[in-house]
Structure formats: structure tokens, C-alpha cells
Amino acid sequence: VCSTEIACFANAQEDFDARNVQVLGLSGNPVETQLAWHSDIERMFDVKVEFPVIEDLAGELATGFGMIHANEAEACPIRKSFIIDPALKVRMIFEFPIRVGRSSAETLRVIDALQIIDRHEVATPSDWMPGKKVILPYGMSDEAATATYGSDWQKLSDYLKFVRLAA
């Protein structure tokens, strides 16, 4: 599973770069083994692995990050991804069983949501995708919504108002 994840995230490197996001991996293997493995991944998946992967031979980081689950597999960490903002605040944690690969598309979707939330102080609804409507801040009055967005916003209730933001 790991090989497909490395390939998937490497394939999405331009998408991460466009969002000013640094991808960083963690592995229980020595760097030399990782470099050979990355060469295999590059050959098998026709992709260049450009992001760094940290060596965690003793599993200290995996343990510290809560990746060891006795009910899953004590010898193998679960798959865990963190989105950390420039202020080093953890914004999102994804956890996957060891046999379920991560999704670069979902990771990018969440990054897009976090970035639009930070820029516009809005919220994103379930299954939100870039270009779709966002939710206005809870408690924003109709007057404030009109002052901010003109007539382009939609009211479903006093507590649920939407607007489509320009790209």
C-alpha cells in the first residue's frame, strides 16, 4: 500500500506546490532503503518522488504521533496524515487502517477548504469542492451578508446561508 501512496502523492506534487504545501513522509526504514524503494516506485509508476521522507528506525515518531494501534497491528503503524499550517498548528488528522491507502485528492480537497476558510472566514459544507458554495459564518446577519456579498448569497434559514466565492 505504501508504494502506491508514495506514487500518488508524488504524482500530485505540482498540486501541492501550487497550494504552497510541503509534503513530508515518515518511514521505519533507513534512508538508503528508502532511496532504493523510491527508485522502484519511480520506475513502476513513472513518477519522480521529490518530497523528503524521514527515517524513524526506532518508531519513536510513529509512537509519538499515535500511529501504533494494538488492535490493528503492533508491528506496523497505521497510516496517518497531518495537515499542519504555517503557524505549526495541526489543522487536520487523517487515520487509515494499514490496508487502506490514503487519497491525495481528499488531502488536497481539505487543504483547499482550509485555505478558503482562512482567506474568507467561511465554512465548507459536506462534500464541498473548490468552486462550490461555502457557508457564511454562523450568526452573520442578512444585512452583513448583503453588505459583504451583495445579492449573490442564498438563505436557507437564519443559521444556514451560502455564497459562491469568486476564484
Side-chain angles (χ1 to χ4, degrees), residues 27-57:
S27 174
N29 295 317
V31 171
E32 299 78 23
T33 303
Q34 290 179 42
L35 293 174
W37 177 42
H38 289 182
S39 292
D40 282 347
I41 291 168
E42 289 173 352
R43 177 185 49 79
M44 291 185 293
F45 295 97
D46 191 29
V47 65
K48 179 75 174 145
V49 180
E50 297 176 344
F51 55 86
V53 178
I54 298 172
E55 176 183 284
D56 184 31
L57 297 178

PDB file of all heavy atoms in Angstrom, residues 27-57:
ATOM      1  N   SER A  27       9.058   7.055   7.541  1.00  0.00           N
ATOM      2  CA  SER A  27       9.264   5.637   7.263  1.00  0.00           C
ATOM      3  C   SER A  27      10.085   4.991   8.365  1.00  0.00           C
ATOM      4  O   SER A  27      10.979   5.621   8.939  1.00  0.00           O
ATOM      5  CB  SER A  27       9.988   5.468   5.921  1.00  0.00           C
ATOM      6  OG  SER A  27      10.324   4.110   5.704  1.00  0.00           O
ATOM      7  N   GLY A  28       9.829   3.736   8.620  1.00  0.00           N
ATOM      8  CA  GLY A  28      10.598   2.970   9.588  1.00  0.00           C
ATOM      9  C   GLY A  28      11.842   2.354   8.981  1.00  0.00           C
ATOM     10  O   GLY A  28      12.562   1.613   9.651  1.00  0.00           O
ATOM     11  N   ASN A  29      12.106   2.658   7.731  1.00  0.00           N
ATOM     12  CA  ASN A  29      13.274   2.106   7.041  1.00  0.00           C
ATOM     13  C   ASN A  29      14.416   3.113   6.987  1.00  0.00           C
ATOM     14  O   ASN A  29      14.176   4.318   6.991  1.00  0.00           O
ATOM     15  CB  ASN A  29      12.896   1.716   5.601  1.00  0.00           C
ATOM     16  CG  ASN A  29      11.892   0.599   5.563  1.00  0.00           C
ATOM     17  OD1 ASN A  29      11.998  -0.368   6.304  1.00  0.00           O
ATOM     18  ND2 ASN A  29      10.892   0.728   4.710  1.00  0.00           N
ATOM     19  N   PRO A  30      15.662   2.606   6.888  1.00  0.00           N
ATOM     20  CA  PRO A  30      16.803   3.518   6.754  1.00  0.00           C
ATOM     21  C   PRO A  30      16.736   4.289   5.431  1.00  0.00           C
ATOM     22  O   PRO A  30      16.129   3.830   4.457  1.00  0.00           O
ATOM     23  CB  PRO A  30      18.023   2.601   6.772  1.00  0.00           C
ATOM     24  CG  PRO A  30      17.539   1.217   6.941  1.00  0.00           C
ATOM     25  CD  PRO A  30      16.046   1.213   6.937  1.00  0.00           C
ATOM     26  N   VAL A  31      17.361   5.434   5.399  1.00  0.00           N
ATOM     27  CA  VAL A  31      17.337   6.298   4.218  1.00  0.00           C
ATOM     28  C   VAL A  31      17.803   5.544   2.979  1.00  0.00           C
ATOM     29  O   VAL A  31      17.205   5.671   1.900  1.00  0.00           O
ATOM     30  CB  VAL A  31      18.193   7.565   4.451  1.00  0.00           C
ATOM     31  CG1 VAL A  31      18.364   8.360   3.170  1.00  0.00           C
ATOM     32  CG2 VAL A  31      17.567   8.438   5.529  1.00  0.00           C
ATOM     33  N   GLU A  32      18.864   4.743   3.092  1.00  0.00           N
ATOM     34  CA  GLU A  32      19.373   4.007   1.925  1.00  0.00           C
ATOM     35  C   GLU A  32      18.303   3.087   1.338  1.00  0.00           C
ATOM     36  O   GLU A  32      18.136   2.994   0.123  1.00  0.00           O
ATOM     37  CB  GLU A  32      20.623   3.183   2.299  1.00  0.00           C
ATOM     38  CG  GLU A  32      21.791   3.987   2.804  1.00  0.00           C
ATOM     39  CD  GLU A  32      21.647   4.443   4.265  1.00  0.00           C
ATOM     40  OE1 GLU A  32      20.885   3.833   5.056  1.00  0.00           O
ATOM     41  OE2 GLU A  32      22.284   5.462   4.602  1.00  0.00           O
ATOM     42  N   THR A  33      17.556   2.414   2.209  1.00  0.00           N
ATOM     43  CA  THR A  33      16.477   1.530   1.756  1.00  0.00           C
ATOM     44  C   THR A  33      15.364   2.351   1.105  1.00  0.00           C
ATOM     45  O   THR A  33      14.807   1.956   0.076  1.00  0.00           O
ATOM     46  CB  THR A  33      15.918   0.723   2.954  1.00  0.00           C
ATOM     47  OG1 THR A  33      16.983  -0.008   3.548  1.00  0.00           O
ATOM     48  CG2 THR A  33      14.810  -0.216   2.523  1.00  0.00           C
ATOM     49  N   GLN A  34      15.055   3.500   1.697  1.00  0.00           N
ATOM     50  CA  GLN A  34      14.025   4.375   1.139  1.00  0.00           C
ATOM     51  C   GLN A  34      14.404   4.843  -0.262  1.00  0.00           C
ATOM     52  O   GLN A  34      13.552   4.868  -1.162  1.00  0.00           O
ATOM     53  CB  GLN A  34      13.822   5.596   2.030  1.00  0.00           C
ATOM     54  CG  GLN A  34      13.166   5.311   3.344  1.00  0.00           C
ATOM     55  CD  GLN A  34      13.028   6.578   4.169  1.00  0.00           C
ATOM     56  OE1 GLN A  34      12.689   7.620   3.641  1.00  0.00           O
ATOM     57  NE2 GLN A  34      13.294   6.482   5.452  1.00  0.00           N
ATOM     58  N   LEU A  35      15.663   5.236  -0.452  1.00  0.00           N
ATOM     59  CA  LEU A  35      16.105   5.731  -1.764  1.00  0.00           C
ATOM     60  C   LEU A  35      15.965   4.648  -2.826  1.00  0.00           C
ATOM     61  O   LEU A  35      15.511   4.916  -3.944  1.00  0.00           O
ATOM     62  CB  LEU A  35      17.536   6.256  -1.682  1.00  0.00           C
ATOM     63  CG  LEU A  35      17.714   7.519  -0.830  1.00  0.00           C
ATOM     64  CD1 LEU A  35      19.200   7.866  -0.700  1.00  0.00           C
ATOM     65  CD2 LEU A  35      16.922   8.680  -1.392  1.00  0.00           C
ATOM     66  N   ALA A  36      16.332   3.414  -2.488  1.00  0.00           N
ATOM     67  CA  ALA A  36      16.166   2.306  -3.431  1.00  0.00           C
ATOM     68  C   ALA A  36      14.684   2.060  -3.707  1.00  0.00           C
ATOM     69  O   ALA A  36      14.274   1.820  -4.852  1.00  0.00           O
ATOM     70  CB  ALA A  36      16.837   1.049  -2.880  1.00  0.00           C
ATOM     71  N   TRP A  37      13.871   2.134  -2.660  1.00  0.00           N
ATOM     72  CA  TRP A  37      12.424   1.946  -2.787  1.00  0.00           C
ATOM     73  C   TRP A  37      11.829   3.037  -3.671  1.00  0.00           C
ATOM     74  O   TRP A  37      11.014   2.766  -4.548  1.00  0.00           O
ATOM     75  CB  TRP A  37      11.834   1.946  -1.386  1.00  0.00           C
ATOM     76  CG  TRP A  37      10.348   1.828  -1.270  1.00  0.00           C
ATOM     77  CD1 TRP A  37       9.521   1.007  -1.987  1.00  0.00           C
ATOM     78  CD2 TRP A  37       9.520   2.539  -0.362  1.00  0.00           C
ATOM     79  NE1 TRP A  37       8.213   1.176  -1.566  1.00  0.00           N
ATOM     80  CE2 TRP A  37       8.193   2.104  -0.570  1.00  0.00           C
ATOM     81  CE3 TRP A  37       9.759   3.479   0.626  1.00  0.00           C
ATOM     82  CZ2 TRP A  37       7.124   2.599   0.165  1.00  0.00           C
ATOM     83  CZ3 TRP A  37       8.693   3.954   1.361  1.00  0.00           C
ATOM     84  CH2 TRP A  37       7.391   3.522   1.128  1.00  0.00           C
ATOM     85  N   HIS A  38      12.255   4.281  -3.467  1.00  0.00           N
ATOM     86  CA  HIS A  38      11.764   5.386  -4.289  1.00  0.00           C
ATOM     87  C   HIS A  38      12.150   5.186  -5.752  1.00  0.00           C
ATOM     88  O   HIS A  38      11.361   5.508  -6.651  1.00  0.00           O
ATOM     89  CB  HIS A  38      12.269   6.727  -3.763  1.00  0.00           C
ATOM     90  CG  HIS A  38      11.624   7.129  -2.472  1.00  0.00           C
ATOM     91  ND1 HIS A  38      11.903   8.304  -1.842  1.00  0.00           N
ATOM     92  CD2 HIS A  38      10.703   6.504  -1.685  1.00  0.00           C
ATOM     93  CE1 HIS A  38      11.204   8.401  -0.732  1.00  0.00           C
ATOM     94  NE2 HIS A  38      10.471   7.310  -0.616  1.00  0.00           N
ATOM     95  N   SER A  39      13.329   4.647  -5.996  1.00  0.00           N
ATOM     96  CA  SER A  39      13.732   4.343  -7.379  1.00  0.00           C
ATOM     97  C   SER A  39      12.785   3.316  -7.993  1.00  0.00           C
ATOM     98  O   SER A  39      12.387   3.445  -9.157  1.00  0.00           O
ATOM     99  CB  SER A  39      15.168   3.827  -7.424  1.00  0.00           C
ATOM    100  OG  SER A  39      16.063   4.850  -7.091  1.00  0.00           O
ATOM    101  N   ASP A  40      12.423   2.302  -7.216  1.00  0.00           N
ATOM    102  CA  ASP A  40      11.453   1.312  -7.699  1.00  0.00           C
ATOM    103  C   ASP A  40      10.108   1.965  -7.995  1.00  0.00           C
ATOM    104  O   ASP A  40       9.484   1.697  -9.027  1.00  0.00           O
ATOM    105  CB  ASP A  40      11.234   0.207  -6.656  1.00  0.00           C
ATOM    106  CG  ASP A  40      12.339  -0.815  -6.612  1.00  0.00           C
ATOM    107  OD1 ASP A  40      13.170  -0.838  -7.544  1.00  0.00           O
ATOM    108  OD2 ASP A  40      12.373  -1.591  -5.640  1.00  0.00           O
ATOM    109  N   ILE A  41       9.650   2.817  -7.084  1.00  0.00           N
ATOM    110  CA  ILE A  41       8.365   3.500  -7.264  1.00  0.00           C
ATOM    111  C   ILE A  41       8.403   4.367  -8.518  1.00  0.00           C
ATOM    112  O   ILE A  41       7.457   4.360  -9.318  1.00  0.00           O
ATOM    113  CB  ILE A  41       8.025   4.340  -6.012  1.00  0.00           C
ATOM    114  CG1 ILE A  41       7.712   3.419  -4.835  1.00  0.00           C
ATOM    115  CG2 ILE A  41       6.855   5.288  -6.283  1.00  0.00           C
ATOM    116  CD1 ILE A  41       7.647   4.118  -3.488  1.00  0.00           C
ATOM    117  N   GLU A  42       9.489   5.090  -8.699  1.00  0.00           N
ATOM    118  CA  GLU A  42       9.627   5.953  -9.879  1.00  0.00           C
ATOM    119  C   GLU A  42       9.575   5.126 -11.159  1.00  0.00           C
ATOM    120  O   GLU A  42       8.928   5.513 -12.130  1.00  0.00           O
ATOM    121  CB  GLU A  42      10.923   6.760  -9.780  1.00  0.00           C
ATOM    122  CG  GLU A  42      10.851   7.823  -8.701  1.00  0.00           C
ATOM    123  CD  GLU A  42      12.171   8.537  -8.453  1.00  0.00           C
ATOM    124  OE1 GLU A  42      13.217   8.120  -9.000  1.00  0.00           O
ATOM    125  OE2 GLU A  42      12.150   9.540  -7.695  1.00  0.00           O
ATOM    126  N   ARG A  43      10.226   3.968 -11.145  1.00  0.00           N
ATOM    127  CA  ARG A  43      10.226   3.092 -12.316  1.00  0.00           C
ATOM    128  C   ARG A  43       8.847   2.476 -12.545  1.00  0.00           C
ATOM    129  O   ARG A  43       8.323   2.501 -13.656  1.00  0.00           O
ATOM    130  CB  ARG A  43      11.277   1.988 -12.126  1.00  0.00           C
ATOM    131  CG  ARG A  43      11.326   0.967 -13.266  1.00  0.00           C
ATOM    132  CD  ARG A  43      12.292  -0.176 -12.971  1.00  0.00           C
ATOM    133  NE  ARG A  43      12.127  -0.791 -11.659  1.00  0.00           N
ATOM    134  CZ  ARG A  43      11.170  -1.676 -11.361  1.00  0.00           C
ATOM    135  NH1 ARG A  43      10.280  -2.035 -12.269  1.00  0.00           N
ATOM    136  NH2 ARG A  43      11.088  -2.203 -10.149  1.00  0.00           N
ATOM    137  N   MET A  44       8.226   1.967 -11.487  1.00  0.00           N
ATOM    138  CA  MET A  44       6.943   1.269 -11.637  1.00  0.00           C
ATOM    139  C   MET A  44       5.794   2.203 -11.992  1.00  0.00           C
ATOM    140  O   MET A  44       4.893   1.831 -12.736  1.00  0.00           O
ATOM    141  CB  MET A  44       6.601   0.522 -10.339  1.00  0.00           C
ATOM    142  CG  MET A  44       7.491  -0.656 -10.049  1.00  0.00           C
ATOM    143  SD  MET A  44       6.971  -1.608  -8.586  1.00  0.00           S
ATOM    144  CE  MET A  44       7.258  -0.451  -7.254  1.00  0.00           C
ATOM    145  N   PHE A  45       5.809   3.416 -11.442  1.00  0.00           N
ATOM    146  CA  PHE A  45       4.678   4.323 -11.596  1.00  0.00           C
ATOM    147  C   PHE A  45       4.991   5.525 -12.486  1.00  0.00           C
ATOM    148  O   PHE A  45       4.141   6.403 -12.629  1.00  0.00           O
ATOM    149  CB  PHE A  45       4.193   4.800 -10.224  1.00  0.00           C
ATOM    150  CG  PHE A  45       3.638   3.690  -9.378  1.00  0.00           C
ATOM    151  CD1 PHE A  45       4.427   3.060  -8.426  1.00  0.00           C
ATOM    152  CD2 PHE A  45       2.326   3.268  -9.546  1.00  0.00           C
ATOM    153  CE1 PHE A  45       3.920   2.032  -7.644  1.00  0.00           C
ATOM    154  CE2 PHE A  45       1.811   2.244  -8.771  1.00  0.00           C
ATOM    155  CZ  PHE A  45       2.611   1.620  -7.818  1.00  0.00           C
ATOM    156  N   ASP A  46       6.193   5.558 -13.050  1.00  0.00           N
ATOM    157  CA  ASP A  46       6.598   6.641 -13.948  1.00  0.00           C
ATOM    158  C   ASP A  46       6.347   8.017 -13.320  1.00  0.00           C
ATOM    159  O   ASP A  46       5.660   8.869 -13.877  1.00  0.00           O
ATOM    160  CB  ASP A  46       5.876   6.525 -15.295  1.00  0.00           C
ATOM    161  CG  ASP A  46       6.471   7.457 -16.341  1.00  0.00           C
ATOM    162  OD1 ASP A  46       7.675   7.768 -16.264  1.00  0.00           O
ATOM    163  OD2 ASP A  46       5.711   7.898 -17.232  1.00  0.00           O
ATOM    164  N   VAL A  47       6.904   8.199 -12.127  1.00  0.00           N
ATOM    165  CA  VAL A  47       6.731   9.436 -11.372  1.00  0.00           C
ATOM    166  C   VAL A  47       8.035   9.735 -10.644  1.00  0.00           C
ATOM    167  O   VAL A  47       8.803   8.821 -10.343  1.00  0.00           O
ATOM    168  CB  VAL A  47       5.548   9.305 -10.381  1.00  0.00           C
ATOM    169  CG1 VAL A  47       5.807   8.281  -9.312  1.00  0.00           C
ATOM    170  CG2 VAL A  47       5.167  10.636  -9.791  1.00  0.00           C
ATOM    171  N   LYS A  48       8.308  10.994 -10.370  1.00  0.00           N
ATOM    172  CA  LYS A  48       9.502  11.405  -9.626  1.00  0.00           C
ATOM    173  C   LYS A  48       9.107  11.709  -8.182  1.00  0.00           C
ATOM    174  O   LYS A  48       8.215  12.524  -7.940  1.00  0.00           O
ATOM    175  CB  LYS A  48      10.124  12.644 -10.284  1.00  0.00           C
ATOM    176  CG  LYS A  48      11.353  13.152  -9.584  1.00  0.00           C
ATOM    177  CD  LYS A  48      12.549  12.287  -9.862  1.00  0.00           C
ATOM    178  CE  LYS A  48      13.803  12.915  -9.257  1.00  0.00           C
ATOM    179  NZ  LYS A  48      14.715  11.924  -8.757  1.00  0.00           N
ATOM    180  N   VAL A  49       9.746  11.047  -7.226  1.00  0.00           N
ATOM    181  CA  VAL A  49       9.494  11.302  -5.806  1.00  0.00           C
ATOM    182  C   VAL A  49      10.419  12.434  -5.384  1.00  0.00           C
ATOM    183  O   VAL A  49      11.631  12.257  -5.284  1.00  0.00           O
ATOM    184  CB  VAL A  49       9.741  10.047  -4.944  1.00  0.00           C
ATOM    185  CG1 VAL A  49       9.482  10.349  -3.475  1.00  0.00           C
ATOM    186  CG2 VAL A  49       8.867   8.887  -5.424  1.00  0.00           C
ATOM    187  N   GLU A  50       9.834  13.610  -5.145  1.00  0.00           N
ATOM    188  CA  GLU A  50      10.622  14.802  -4.825  1.00  0.00           C
ATOM    189  C   GLU A  50      10.536  15.212  -3.360  1.00  0.00           C
ATOM    190  O   GLU A  50      11.331  16.022  -2.903  1.00  0.00           O
ATOM    191  CB  GLU A  50      10.181  15.968  -5.711  1.00  0.00           C
ATOM    192  CG  GLU A  50      10.418  15.710  -7.175  1.00  0.00           C
ATOM    193  CD  GLU A  50       9.901  16.820  -8.069  1.00  0.00           C
ATOM    194  OE1 GLU A  50       9.097  17.658  -7.604  1.00  0.00           O
ATOM    195  OE2 GLU A  50      10.303  16.849  -9.235  1.00  0.00           O
ATOM    196  N   PHE A  51       9.576  14.685  -2.615  1.00  0.00           N
ATOM    197  CA  PHE A  51       9.430  15.117  -1.223  1.00  0.00           C
ATOM    198  C   PHE A  51      10.291  14.248  -0.306  1.00  0.00           C
ATOM    199  O   PHE A  51      10.557  13.089  -0.594  1.00  0.00           O
ATOM    200  CB  PHE A  51       7.961  15.114  -0.785  1.00  0.00           C
ATOM    201  CG  PHE A  51       7.248  13.800  -0.971  1.00  0.00           C
ATOM    202  CD1 PHE A  51       7.316  12.813   0.004  1.00  0.00           C
ATOM    203  CD2 PHE A  51       6.497  13.560  -2.104  1.00  0.00           C
ATOM    204  CE1 PHE A  51       6.656  11.608  -0.154  1.00  0.00           C
ATOM    205  CE2 PHE A  51       5.818  12.362  -2.271  1.00  0.00           C
ATOM    206  CZ  PHE A  51       5.907  11.387  -1.294  1.00  0.00           C
ATOM    207  N   PRO A  52      10.729  14.836   0.805  1.00  0.00           N
ATOM    208  CA  PRO A  52      11.565  14.080   1.739  1.00  0.00           C
ATOM    209  C   PRO A  52      10.755  13.089   2.561  1.00  0.00           C
ATOM    210  O   PRO A  52       9.566  13.278   2.789  1.00  0.00           O
ATOM    211  CB  PRO A  52      12.159  15.168   2.643  1.00  0.00           C
ATOM    212  CG  PRO A  52      11.197  16.306   2.560  1.00  0.00           C
ATOM    213  CD  PRO A  52      10.561  16.239   1.204  1.00  0.00           C
ATOM    214  N   VAL A  53      11.440  12.031   2.983  1.00  0.00           N
ATOM    215  CA  VAL A  53      10.844  11.044   3.875  1.00  0.00           C
ATOM    216  C   VAL A  53      11.809  10.873   5.056  1.00  0.00           C
ATOM    217  O   VAL A  53      12.986  10.609   4.865  1.00  0.00           O
ATOM    218  CB  VAL A  53      10.601   9.695   3.163  1.00  0.00           C
ATOM    219  CG1 VAL A  53      10.018   8.666   4.127  1.00  0.00           C
ATOM    220  CG2 VAL A  53       9.672   9.880   1.970  1.00  0.00           C
ATOM    221  N   ILE A  54      11.291  11.061   6.259  1.00  0.00           N
ATOM    222  CA  ILE A  54      12.095  10.987   7.472  1.00  0.00           C
ATOM    223  C   ILE A  54      12.289   9.531   7.890  1.00  0.00           C
ATOM    224  O   ILE A  54      11.352   8.737   7.855  1.00  0.00           O
ATOM    225  CB  ILE A  54      11.401  11.754   8.624  1.00  0.00           C
ATOM    226  CG1 ILE A  54      11.271  13.226   8.274  1.00  0.00           C
ATOM    227  CG2 ILE A  54      12.148  11.575   9.936  1.00  0.00           C
ATOM    228  CD1 ILE A  54      10.429  14.000   9.260  1.00  0.00           C
ATOM    229  N   GLU A  55      13.491   9.220   8.310  1.00  0.00           N
ATOM    230  CA  GLU A  55      13.826   7.899   8.842  1.00  0.00           C
ATOM    231  C   GLU A  55      13.408   7.831  10.311  1.00  0.00           C
ATOM    232  O   GLU A  55      13.784   8.686  11.109  1.00  0.00           O
ATOM    233  CB  GLU A  55      15.335   7.710   8.710  1.00  0.00           C
ATOM    234  CG  GLU A  55      15.881   6.444   9.291  1.00  0.00           C
ATOM    235  CD  GLU A  55      17.398   6.400   9.171  1.00  0.00           C
ATOM    236  OE1 GLU A  55      17.904   6.151   8.066  1.00  0.00           O
ATOM    237  OE2 GLU A  55      18.058   6.634  10.200  1.00  0.00           O
ATOM    238  N   ASP A  56      12.623   6.812  10.671  1.00  0.00           N
ATOM    239  CA  ASP A  56      12.158   6.627  12.051  1.00  0.00           C
ATOM    240  C   ASP A  56      12.405   5.176  12.447  1.00  0.00           C
ATOM    241  O   ASP A  56      11.470   4.411  12.679  1.00  0.00           O
ATOM    242  CB  ASP A  56      10.679   7.011  12.154  1.00  0.00           C
ATOM    243  CG  ASP A  56      10.129   6.953  13.566  1.00  0.00           C
ATOM    244  OD1 ASP A  56      10.903   7.193  14.521  1.00  0.00           O
ATOM    245  OD2 ASP A  56       8.929   6.671  13.723  1.00  0.00           O
ATOM    246  N   LEU A  57      13.687   4.787  12.513  1.00  0.00           N
ATOM    247  CA  LEU A  57      14.049   3.388  12.724  1.00  0.00           C
ATOM    248  C   LEU A  57      13.516   2.813  14.036  1.00  0.00           C
ATOM    249  O   LEU A  57      13.063   1.666  14.073  1.00  0.00           O
ATOM    250  CB  LEU A  57      15.570   3.230  12.679  1.00  0.00           C
ATOM    251  CG  LEU A  57      16.232   3.590  11.346  1.00  0.00           C
ATOM    252  CD1 LEU A  57      17.735   3.434  11.438  1.00  0.00           C
ATOM    253  CD2 LEU A  57      15.663   2.737  10.227  1.00  0.00           C
TER     254      LEU A  57
END
